[in-house]
């Protein structure tokens, strides 16, 4: 009997071939790219901006740094980092999805942010950068969509400079049963309906809700980061564990 476990993975609650997941995730983000920012504000009631500001505050970013905003999508973190690193620094906005990157590039251009930002289409599992390139790497709400998360964490470790830090902002496991029940009801009832009304795409938001449930919990992700080589790993629960910010260093 052939073991196909290493050829398959999860796409939400479905079990699919790894190549098929890459295509399906791409379809989701091609579909939602144009209204991604609007839906983020509606889905989180604007709280995603607070989570992202907190991530930037914890990054230790400073003038002259080189920063990788991985799975950076429409460029929320890139815009803030660009101001911090200044003309001597650089921010690389990287995303695997061409549609998301196109929206992000246009938004940054409209904001007048062009001089110290580079947009790169890249797969997190095999980053196209030299070893020891970045002072800080952030990945916000992107890791759960990566097919091989372990490979992605190893790739991030490789391109991070010694002394650099990784910050992973991602949906996680609520800390109480009551909050879990409320969150589940919201995710599987309101969220797909919002997607249907705003983007005419309920299925993509059904997947996003399912992908959150399939993502490793706080302790599991912490262990995965340590396995990839990161040290002094820690996490902070935000909004009752609906979101967690993981941090790790390369020494």
């Amino acid at each position: 009997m052939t073991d196909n476990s290493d050829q398959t993975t999860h796409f939400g609650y479905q079990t699919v071939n790894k190549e098929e997941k890459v295509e399906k995730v791409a379809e989701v983000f091609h579909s939602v790219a144009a209204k991604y920012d609007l839906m983020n504000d509606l889905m989180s009631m604007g709280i995603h901006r607070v989570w992202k500001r907190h991530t930037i505050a914890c990054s230790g970013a400073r003038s002259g740094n080189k920063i990788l905003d991985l799975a950076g999508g429409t460029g929320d973190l890139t815009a803030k980092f660009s101001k911090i690193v200044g003309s001597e620094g650089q921010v690389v906005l990287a995303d695997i999805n061409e549609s998301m990157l196109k929206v992000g590039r246009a938004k940054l251009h409209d904001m007048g942010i062009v001089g110290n930002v580079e947009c790169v289409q890249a797969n997190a599992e095999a980053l196209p950068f030299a070893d020891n390139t970045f002072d800080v790497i952030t990945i916000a709400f992107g890791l759960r969509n990566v097919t091989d998360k372990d490979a992605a964490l190893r790739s991030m470790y490789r391109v991070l400079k010694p002394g650099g830090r990784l910050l992973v902002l991602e949906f996680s496991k609520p800390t109480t049963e009551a909050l879990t029940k409320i969150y589940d009801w919201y995710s599987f009832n309101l969220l797909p309906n919002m997607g249907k009304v705003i983007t005419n795409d309920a299925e993509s938001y059904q997947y996003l809700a399912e992908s959150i449930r399939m993502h490793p919990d706080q302790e599991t992700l912490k262990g995965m980061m340590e396995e990839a080589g990161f040290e002094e790993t820690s996490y902070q629960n935000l909004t009752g564990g609906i979101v967690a910010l993981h941090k790790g260093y390369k020494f």
Side-chain angles (χ1 to χ4, degrees):
M1 183 175 177
T2 304
D3 180 11
N4 292 320
S5 60
D6 58 345
Q7 275 86 46
T8 60
T9 188
H10 296 287
F11 176 77
Y13 290 162
Q14 302 174 48
T15 298
V16 298
N17 290 328
K18 289 182 176 179
E19 294 81 4
E20 188 181 358
K21 175 172 179 173
V22 173
E23 294 172 4
K24 284 179 171 289
V25 170
E27 288 170 9
V28 166
F29 285 95
H30 285 313
S31 173
V32 304
K35 294 187 177 178
Y36 184 79
D37 286 343
L38 172 63
M39 280 298 294
N40 273 354
D41 282 331
L42 291 173
M43 288 187 301
S44 72
M45 294 171 283
I47 299 173
H48 76 99
R49 298 183 184 276
V50 177
W51 296 331
K52 289 170 181 174
R53 280 199 299 269
H54 181 68
T55 300
I56 290 166
C58 292
S59 70
R62 58 185 185 272
S63 178
N65 277 172
K66 188 163 185 177
I67 295 177
L68 174 61
D69 179 14
L70 185 56
T74 58
D76 282 351
L77 272 70
T78 292
K80 302 289 187 186
F81 279 134
S82 172
K83 294 176 182 177
I84 293 171
V85 304
S87 59
E88 298 299 311
Q90 185 188 32
V91 185
V92 176
L93 170 59
D95 202 290
I96 195 172
N97 189 275
E98 184 181 1
S99 296
M100 293 289 286
L101 206 57
K102 186 177 180 180
V103 172
R105 187 186 291 112
K107 186 168 82 173
L108 293 168
H109 187 271
D110 290 345
M111 295 170 71
I113 299 172
V114 290
N116 62 354
V117 170
E118 180 183 3
C119 296
V120 176
Q121 189 170 0
N123 185 338
E125 297 173 25
L127 292 168
F129 309 110
D131 295 359
N132 308 320
T133 296
F134 298 99
D135 298 285
V136 177
I137 299 175
T138 58
I139 178 166
F141 306 113
L143 186 60
R144 74 181 187 282
N145 297 308
V146 174
T147 301
D148 190 337
K149 297 173 180 62
D150 292 308
L153 289 168
R154 290 193 299 270
S155 189
M156 291 178 226
Y157 184 85
R158 179 184 63 78
V159 302
L160 194 64
K161 290 179 182 178
R165 72 183 77 183
L166 166 69
L167 295 105
V168 181
L169 181 66
E170 189 54 89
F171 291 107
S172 202
K173 184 178 174 62
T175 54
T176 68
E177 188 175 340
L179 185 57
T180 299
K181 288 180 179 178
I182 294 168
Y183 186 47
D184 282 349
W185 180 84
Y186 168 81
S187 298
F188 292 104
N189 291 279
L190 287 186
L191 192 56
N193 286 325
M194 274 197 287
K196 184 175 182 179
V197 171
I198 304 298
T199 68
N200 197 31
D201 184 359
E203 286 185 9
S204 289
Y205 287 92
Q206 178 75 23
Y207 158 71
L208 292 175
E210 292 176 3
S211 71
I212 291 167
R213 301 316 185 280
M214 299 304 294
H215 185 68
D217 64 18
Q218 289 91 324
E219 284 293 331
T220 303
L221 179 54
K222 182 176 181 289
M224 290 168 66
M225 290 173 65
E226 290 168 352
E227 192 71 25
F230 291 96
E231 299 181 54
E232 292 187 13
T233 58
S234 62
Y235 63 84
Q236 179 183 7
N237 287 319
L238 307 175
T239 316
I242 287 175
V243 164
L245 176 62
H246 282 71
K247 187 190 300 182
Y249 295 84
K250 176 178 178 178
F251 294 120

